[in-house]
Amino acid sequence: MITFGPVPSRRLGQSLGINNIPGDKICTYACIYCQVGATRHYTLERASYYSPEQILAAVEEHLSKLQAVPDYLTFVPNGEPTLDIHLKESIRLLMQSGIPIAVITNASLLGDAAVRDALSLADWVSVKVDANDETVWKKINRPHPKLTFEGYKEGLLTFASSYKGILATETLMVDGVNDGAELLQHNASLIATINPSRAYLSIPTRPPAMRSVKKPDEEAINRAYQIYTDAGLHCEMLLGFEGSDTGFTGDAREDILNMSAVHPIREETMGEILRKNRADSSLPDQLVREKEIREVIYQDKKFWIRNFTRAEGIGLA
Ligand code: SF4
């Protein structure tokens, strides 16, 4: 199946997925946390899979069955979308629909001018930045042996400096691998150079390729969030909840759950949520007892964050 969804996505609203890489996973990486399973075809060679006309026909047919137009058409295949040599032409044909186009890429092929050229047509591009450190990059992303860390970084910076659409980064954190403070500071400085509209922090939410892969705990996620925001990044968390930072709705419980899924709530903000919603001051403790949120301390300050063990099995789109 070339198309799927639409899938509700906090990043993209209603997103109609396009799987432009057929069959078993074909990728330039074999990430230890990959939720698609083991990389069966490990390659750097861009190749012809579906023709752009096939992709257009599949999208048009899928759209004709939907009651509402999705917010995005998103290339998010079982593998790396830029391995598709027809990506540019497919995007070009789909642009006729008038629906914005998104691509979620691991960024490993951005050193190739043809890949950058294809992605330049997309309205929204997310690039993976798990580790600004060669050893950790190799450990977590397990890149194809012919990829170099310098090449990856150079491609990333070259693309970011010329891309005119909405650029996002995603850092997926794995316990004990890339969740240390020093590494996250390195990541934050690289991402700050890229200057994305949003820097997302995520965690594994489905069974990963390697059983040893564990989610970092709430303290580590909170620390990462603080490091990224201290670096001037507009950081949001993707913990497997479809939270939205909607402000004050009159329902304090919903506001706390939604906000804490997107970013940790500081003590002052929590006070404001309770006051504006005229809610009881015991509500945060009650949500902690219900295991909906967790209290964490960072640099002597109290924060509340969604208890993401509750998000088991919910996918990230
Ligand atoms: S880049 Fe994506 S598809 Fe490829 S191995 Fe990593 S997580 Fe899996």
Side-chain angles (χ1 to χ4, degrees), residues 25 27 29-31 33-36 39 78-80 106 128:
K25 191 178 81 179
C27 200
Y29 282 179
C31 302
Y33 56 74
C34 185
Q35 301 170 11
V36 185
T39 299
N78 292 340
E80 172 48 36
N106 67 18
K128 188 185 288 299

Side-chain angles (χ1 to χ4, degrees), residues 105-118:
T105 172
N106 67 18
S108 61
L109 298 180
L110 291 178
D112 181 340
V115 169
R116 296 196 299 273
D117 188 38

